[in-house]
Amino acid sequence: MSATIPAVPAARSLQAMAIRKDEVMAVRSAGIVIQGDTGDRPRGRGRYLTLQQAADAYPAFSLRLLRRLAQERRIAFSRAGRCIVLAEADIEGYLDHNRVEPARWRSG
């Protein structure tokens, strides 16, 4: 005796999921808060740069250094597929965090 599984039109359910995802992305990009959305995602991070673009834009960083900082989780990064991208705000924040102020000598 075999159990019969009711036929579910897969195309309709996949299409509904795709439409829902598009609606959610459109609402989020418009800045509307979705019910249950905490809103703790970073906003306004500026442009996103690949590691090569960041190394070209910031002479203080080599490609190898950026890869190492991302691997060691010492700089915030995002992934776009297999590509690692850095927000300009995160690069600037890393530079500000590692800034060394000059020593003040007392005369006297």
Side-chain angles (χ1 to χ4, degrees):
M1 181 167 183
S2 64
T4 58
I5 300 172
V8 176
R12 286 177 56 197
S13 62
L14 290 177
Q15 183 181 17
M17 287 172 43
I19 290 172
R20 174 70 180 140
K21 182 179 178 183
D22 291 341
E23 289 172 353
V24 169
M25 297 309 288
V27 168
R28 284 186 178 160
S29 66
I32 300 170
V33 176
I34 300 172
Q35 183 178 2
D37 189 7
T38 60
D40 59 354
R41 287 184 313 278
R43 300 272 188 216
R45 315 277 309 147
R47 286 188 330 149
Y48 282 86
L49 305 171
T50 63
L51 293 179
Q52 185 63 53
Q53 290 171 335
D56 292 340
Y58 293 88
F61 294 112
S62 67
L63 184 60
R64 171 74 181 108
L65 175 62
L66 290 171
R67 282 190 179 135
R68 187 169 54 87
L69 291 175
Q71 180 185 14
E72 295 172 357
R73 305 293 197 261
R74 292 173 51 197
I75 192 168
F77 66 93
S78 300
R79 286 193 183 269
R82 292 179 65 184
C83 183
I84 295 175
V85 292
L86 304 170
E88 282 184 333
D90 292 331
I91 297 170
E92 296 290 334
Y94 177 82
L95 289 171
D96 289 341
H97 178 73
N98 289 301
R99 179 181 167 89
V100 178
E101 294 293 331
R104 308 241 187 241
W105 296 97
R106 291 185 182 181
S107 60

